[in-house]
């Protein structure tokens, strides 16, 4: 195998450092957003997962978030329901099952104003990039999310 050039090795190292910094700042930002609307980080992530992946049973939501099924996930759903961000309903196909669904309008009313300024800043930055750069960035972030999801699954086994 051919050794990477010094320039490539330095670029890879910088990318690794940038990704580490980005991930740390993203976690801290999400925590600050959650606290600003009276939630905790896991609650906010659960809402995001319900929005992106669709409704779930409490057990499925526990698996998505890494919480233990039962008390922890029930308490989280209770908090989110009190905040008006989710609702529970009986599964029409199996009345024994409960389905938790995110309510987008109250979520946007609650956290939308918090995300608004950062969205505007990102959009302004994206306007400075070429289509190819934006496509590459989207691909990079999509792959980073996939790697993280796979690693989370490994850690939870």
């Amino acid at each position: 195998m051919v050794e990477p050039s010094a320039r490539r090795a330095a670029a890879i190292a910088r990318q690794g450092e940038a990704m580490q910094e980005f991930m740390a700042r993203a976690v801290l930002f999400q925590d600050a957003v959650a606290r600003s609307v009276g939630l905790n980080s896991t609650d906010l992530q659960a809402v995001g997962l319900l929005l992106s992946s669709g409704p779930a049973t409490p057990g499925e939501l526990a698996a998505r978030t890494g919480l233990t099924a039962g008390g922890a996930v029930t308490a989280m759903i209770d908090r989110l329901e009190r905040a008006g961000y989710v609702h529970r309903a009986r599964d029409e196909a199996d009345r024994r099952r409960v389905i938790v669904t995110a309510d987008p309008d109250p979520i946007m009313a609650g956290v939308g104003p918090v995300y608004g300024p950062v969205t505007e800043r990102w959009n302004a930055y994206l306007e400075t990039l070429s289509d190819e750069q934006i496509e590459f960035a989207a691909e990079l972030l999509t792959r980073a999310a996939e790697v993280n999801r796979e690693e989370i699954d490994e850690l939870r086994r």
Side-chain angles (χ1 to χ4, degrees):
M1 180 189 272
V2 176
E3 289 295 318
S5 70
R7 180 178 175 196
R8 181 177 176 84
I12 290 171
R14 281 193 313 276
Q15 190 282 327
E17 292 164 2
M19 182 64 81
Q20 183 178 10
E21 177 74 8
F22 171 76
M23 289 174 61
R25 297 294 175 187
V27 168
L28 294 172
F29 176 72
Q30 292 296 344
D31 185 60
V33 169
R35 291 178 187 280
S36 77
V37 296
L39 300 176
N40 66 48
S41 296
T42 303
D43 294 353
L44 184 63
Q45 295 311 311
V47 167
L49 290 168
L50 286 169
L51 286 171
S52 66
S53 299
T57 66
E60 291 165 346
L61 190 55
R64 290 180 193 176
T65 59
L67 292 174
T68 55
V73 77
T74 299
M76 178 185 68
I77 295 167
D78 288 344
R79 287 189 301 273
L80 293 174
E81 200 168 41
R82 279 193 303 275
Y85 293 157
V86 304
H87 68 272
R88 295 176 175 108
R90 292 277 172 205
D91 185 343
E92 293 299 320
D94 181 350
R95 302 284 300 155
R96 295 170 296 178
R97 289 174 22 124
V98 171
I99 303 295
V100 181
T101 303
D103 294 318
D105 291 339
I107 293 167
M108 290 312 297
V111 298
V114 181
Y115 283 115
V118 76
T119 299
E120 288 176 21
R121 290 179 67 190
W122 268 115
N123 287 340
Y125 173 69
L126 291 174
E127 286 299 317
T128 70
L129 301 178
S130 69
D131 292 349
E132 292 79 17
Q133 288 172 312
I134 294 169
E135 289 167 3
F136 171 76
E139 181 183 327
L140 179 73
L141 292 172
T142 298
R143 184 63 186 131
E146 289 171 5
V147 168
N148 284 352
R149 186 173 31 255
E150 291 164 1
E151 291 300 317
I152 289 166
D153 290 345
E154 277 298 311
L155 289 168
R156 288 182 180 165
R157 286 186 197 161

